[in-house]
Amino acid sequence: KKDLTAYSICSDARAMIKKAREDGVETVWDRLEEQEPQCGFCELGLSCRNCIMGPCRIDPFGNGPKRGVCGADADVIVARNFGRMVAAGAAAHSDHGRDLVETLHAVAQGQTTDYGVRDEAKLRRIAAEVGLEVEGKDVKAVAAALADQFYEDYGFKRGSMSFLGRVPAKRQEVWKKFGITPRGIDRDVVEMMHRTHMGVDNDAVSLCLHAARLSLADGWGGSMIATELSDILFGTPAPATAKVNLGVLKADHVNILVHGHSPIVSEMILAAVRDPGLIAKAKAAGAAGINLAGLCCTGNELLMRQGIPMAGNHLMTELAIVTGAVEVVVVDYQCIMPSLVTVAGCYHSRIVTTSPKAHFTGATHVEFDMHNARQKAIEVVELAIERFTARDQGRVDIPGEPVDIMTGFSNEAILTALGGSAGPLLDAIKAGQIRGAVAVVGCNNPKVKHDYQNSNLIRECIKRDLLVLVTGCVTVSAGKQGLLMPSAADLAGPGLSAVCKALGIPPVLHMGSCVDNSRIIQLCGMLANALGVDISDLPVAAAAPEWYSEKAATIGLYAVASGVFTVLGLAPPILGSKAVTDLAVSGLEGVVGATFAVEGDPVKAAELIDARVRAKRKALGLTP
Ligand code: SF4
Ligand code: FE2
């Protein structure tokens, strides 16, 4: 076994990896070691099992087969595999968005009393923005019309998708020129499945361009709908402080964790843990109270809107249970390792699944829908109280003290902090106090040291006077290092530091969950429009230093297709095709005005980003 410091930079993670070993619990790192060496063909994208004449694989060294049984070469196989990866990622985030459309629809039709519209002003603003009549209409009528409008974005849309009006005109021209304007979320995802069936699209460039189009249907479609409707239904985030790391668990409380992505379930759990009757029951069972904390993106949703503490990110999910202090982990969908059921089985903990789309063998399934959610949440909390009575306090070890974080930077909140418009931000960018902005987003991956690349890339960026925007699991990486507090301004370059101190904000702004990357591209669109340029002209960049998921591939591609240079910390499985790799790292510049780069070293990644920012500033006539 490797030394613990090889696995994570976080002391809470290392303490729990050690405890997992002592308790005989297998973790993600153990299973990665068992898998190694991983398949080189698959790593390069050179294996195909799209049909039953196969499976096939291409020899990257040129001695063995150069074509699959059907005749597909390395370029076609890699492009097809990548296309399906992007389609799966878009499907996940956009299907999450669909659940919010259905919730809004149910609210509008009076089919649920469990949910409602919490931000009516935003509902009216968004409805007007997408061209709906709102004057003189009541909330339910506006909600009904907006839900119907968004339903169409998923299907056989005629005319433009709802949010494409947010895309700067020059960007829309680029998309039109290369035929990558998204047409409909489900349509573009399904079309990728069609194109990658044997014998349909057999040109790597054509496949990659469609992958770009479908990623845009997610970024400016499904994910954006998820974000905006979550704000309408649960409140638009505003700055607040909260806490992060495993220390947010409380040894004397019933501990409930929410994990997954959608706020639809986690918001109901939040309501239930605040129920005085249930708190009394918990006390009667010997607990001091009920403690709720988040993991991954649904944790980000509750953190952004409600200030609920975050226990950890992707690689902390197993380790949270290893504390022995978690009664129940309530999950919805996405990024929930099936191993959690096994880990929970080593303690008194239960995994509660809630979505008809996501069953886990061995878990307790309590199905939530629009009509029963409040009641089901109460049942889950009651289960947690019952589990508390089975907890073995002798096996409890909660490592460390929680760290303070600042959260809640929706675009609305950012504009408010700036005094009502993006003007002051643009002025600071023009003056070179803030040289540019970098979205550092994405996941963790056991192939790299947990949180090392995420947090160090952020440090390197703020040092260079680059404002950093974070979402998803990177939020926790940054937060645990103290980077989400205004005091982190001391780690920033002189310009950024001065701006942050004047505004009382951190140099790293938490903008939400992974679907909330749509907030960041919307912000890019607003800045480009204010300057009368394309997004690709802005001194901005994106990075996913520790990404693991198909969704991250989709986000990276919609960032690039929107004109944002994007650095990945790990290579996607495309290196088996020179054509696809060249397109990704250079050819796309001539198409969408941005490319990918792959760089795992945070200092080198920051230098690549800095070079892009310098070039873009120079082209805008600004000091580099
Ligand atoms: Fe092999 Fe072609 Fe079938 Fe893929 S589609 S498994 S390369 S025959
Ligand atoms: Fe996520």
Side-chain angles (χ1 to χ4, degrees):
K1 290 277 176 213
K2 281 185 255 176
D3 184 74
L4 289 171
T5 54
Y7 296 100
S8 176
I9 63 165
C10 301
S11 56
D12 61 348
R14 296 202 295 255
M16 287 306 103
I17 295 169
K18 184 164 174 281
K19 183 170 189 289
R21 285 179 186 172
E22 289 159 6
D23 290 358
V25 177
E26 182 192 87
T27 65
V28 64
W29 291 277
D30 300 318
R31 294 188 299 274
L32 174 62
E33 274 166 30
E34 278 176 13
Q35 286 290 335
E36 284 168 336
Q38 289 174 311
C39 174
F41 295 98
C42 291
E43 219 159 40
L44 296 171
L46 287 174
S47 49
C48 181
R49 43 182 179 73
N50 286 13
C51 89
I52 299 303
M53 295 192 288
C56 305
R57 52 192 194 181
I58 305 297
D59 182 345
F61 304 111
N63 307 321
K66 290 190 180 54
R67 290 178 182 276
V69 176
C70 66
D73 63 8
D75 295 336
V76 167
I77 290 176
V78 166
R80 281 196 307 215
N81 289 339
F82 184 65
R84 285 195 170 194
M85 187 178 199
V86 175
H93 271 156
S94 291
D95 202 44
H96 157 180
R98 186 194 323 269
D99 287 344
L100 288 145
V101 182
E102 289 194 323
T103 306
L104 184 71
H105 178 82
V107 167
Q109 303 302 327
Q111 293 166 352
T112 175
T113 49
D114 290 356
Y115 299 93
V117 170
R118 285 196 201 154
D119 190 342
E120 185 181 337
K122 181 155 183 172
L123 168 70
R124 292 185 179 276
R125 186 158 50 76
I126 298 290
E129 181 191 341
V130 302
L132 298 170
E133 191 58 59
V134 294
E135 275 314 305
K137 286 195 174 172
D138 72 358
V139 181
K140 284 192 172 172
V142 178
L146 189 61
D148 282 345
Q149 163 104 4
F150 286 153
Y151 275 135
E152 285 202 13
D153 283 339
Y154 280 84
F156 216 143
K157 181 87 175 175
R158 283 169 293 185
S160 173
M161 287 174 62
S162 297
F163 284 128
L164 295 194
R166 293 179 171 185
V167 180
K170 289 184 179 168
R171 181 70 0 199
Q172 298 204 36
E173 283 306 312
V174 170
W175 293 352
K176 221 175 270 165
K177 183 171 165 201
F178 293 99
I180 58 169
T181 306
R183 298 159 300 175
I185 299 154
D186 291 352
R187 174 183 184 163
D188 285 327
V189 171
V190 167
E191 187 173 307
M192 182 56 88
M193 300 312 286
H194 177 191
R195 284 179 185 234
T196 52
H197 186 280
M198 202 297 278
V200 184
D201 198 355
N202 286 297
D203 178 75
V205 173
S206 170
L207 283 161
C208 289
L209 287 176
H210 182 65
R213 168 159 57 188
L214 87 85
S215 75
L216 293 170
D218 178 32
W220 296 88
S223 282
M224 199 167 268
I225 288 170
T227 293
E228 300 297 44
L229 290 189
S230 297
D231 285 357
I232 288 168
L233 290 164
F234 302 112
T236 303
T241 51
K243 299 211 179 277
V244 68
N245 77 23
L246 284 185
V248 303
L249 296 171
K250 294 179 180 168
D252 58 354
H253 279 59
V254 173
N255 287 303
I256 300 176
L257 292 174
V258 285
H259 179 15
H261 276 76
S262 160
I264 295 174
V265 169
S266 56
E267 282 277 351
M268 286 300 125
I269 300 291
L270 173 61
V273 302
R274 287 175 172 169
D275 181 312
L278 288 170
I279 295 170
K281 270 192 195 172
K283 288 185 174 163
I290 308 173
N291 181 41
L292 178 68
L295 292 165
C296 290
C297 271
T298 205
N300 275 299
E301 301 273 348
L302 285 188
L303 171 64
M304 274 286 274
R305 295 194 183 85
Q306 320 293 357
I308 295 302
M310 262 306 235
N313 50 12
H314 176 54
L315 287 182
M316 298 303 296
T317 57
E318 291 175 322
L319 301 180
I321 300 171
V322 173
T323 61
V326 174
E327 276 56 59
V328 161
V329 184
V330 194
V331 307
D332 47 63
Y333 38 58
Q334 298 170 24
C335 302
I336 301 142
M337 287 193 270
S339 65
L340 293 191
V341 177
T342 316
V343 178
C346 298
Y347 301 91
H348 70 296
S349 318
R350 289 278 187 280
I351 305 299
V352 174
T353 51
T354 59
S355 167
K357 298 172 198 182
H359 291 263
F360 287 55
T361 306
T364 307
H365 190 68
V366 180
E367 198 158 304
F368 278 51
D369 66 36
M370 244 84 74
H371 317 289
N372 67 12
R374 246 170 230 281
Q375 181 52 38
K376 292 292 161 184
I378 291 168
E379 288 173 24
V380 171
V381 175
E382 281 172 341
L383 172 65
I385 295 168
E386 182 271 314
R387 284 288 85 202
F388 178 81
T389 62
R391 188 202 287 179
D392 177 354
Q393 287 290 6
R395 295 183 75 198
V396 172
D397 179 7
I398 299 172
E401 284 300 310
V403 174
D404 286 332
I405 52 176
M406 200 167 176
T407 177
F409 290 97
S410 57
N411 286 328
E412 288 86 340
I414 291 174
L415 293 182
T416 304
L418 293 169
S421 82
L425 178 58
L426 285 170
D427 291 343
I429 291 173
K430 285 178 190 162
Q433 278 186 296
I434 296 177
R435 295 177 52 242
V438 187
V440 183
V441 305
C443 334
N444 296 136
N445 188 319
K447 291 179 177 177
V448 301
K449 192 195 276 197
H450 169 239
D451 281 356
Y452 172 80
Q453 292 179 191
N454 285 343
S455 54
N456 284 299
L457 177 59
I458 293 171
R459 285 173 195 276
E460 292 300 324
C461 287
I462 62 174
K463 246 194 242 173
R464 292 165 170 79
D465 283 330
L466 300 169
L467 177 69
V468 171
L469 312 171
V470 294
T471 59
C473 284
V474 177
T475 309
V476 175
S477 315
K480 284 164 90 169
Q481 304 300 315
L483 297 168
L484 291 183
M485 288 304 282
S487 55
D490 290 335
L491 304 172
L496 177 60
S497 173
V499 174
C500 290
K501 285 176 180 168
L503 294 171
I505 59 168
V508 184
L509 302 181
H510 176 220
M511 295 191 70
S513 63
C514 297
V515 294
D516 293 338
N517 288 317
S518 64
R519 297 190 202 274
I520 301 177
I521 48 167
Q522 185 198 1
L523 182 62
C524 288
M526 290 193 296
L527 294 177
N529 281 335
L531 291 171
V533 299
D534 192 353
I535 295 173
S536 58
D537 298 322
L538 295 173
V540 300
E546 300 180 23
W547 73 288
Y548 92 87
S549 90
E550 293 167 314
K551 292 177 291 176
T554 312
I555 294 165
L557 189 55
Y558 76 61
V560 168
S562 298
V564 179
F565 171 64
T566 299
V567 184
L568 303 173
L570 297 111
I574 62 169
L575 300 182
S577 162
K578 191 173 178 316
V580 175
T581 304
D582 286 352
L583 189 63
V585 300
S586 66
L588 281 172
E589 186 69 45
V591 184
V592 292
T595 61
F596 285 101
V598 178
E599 180 53 66
D601 180 283
V603 176
K604 288 182 187 159
E607 278 164 6
L608 291 173
I609 288 167
D610 199 76
R612 170 84 175 185
V613 167
R614 251 181 284 135
K616 292 297 164 186
R617 291 187 60 87
K618 216 173 142 207
L620 287 171
L622 304 173
T623 57

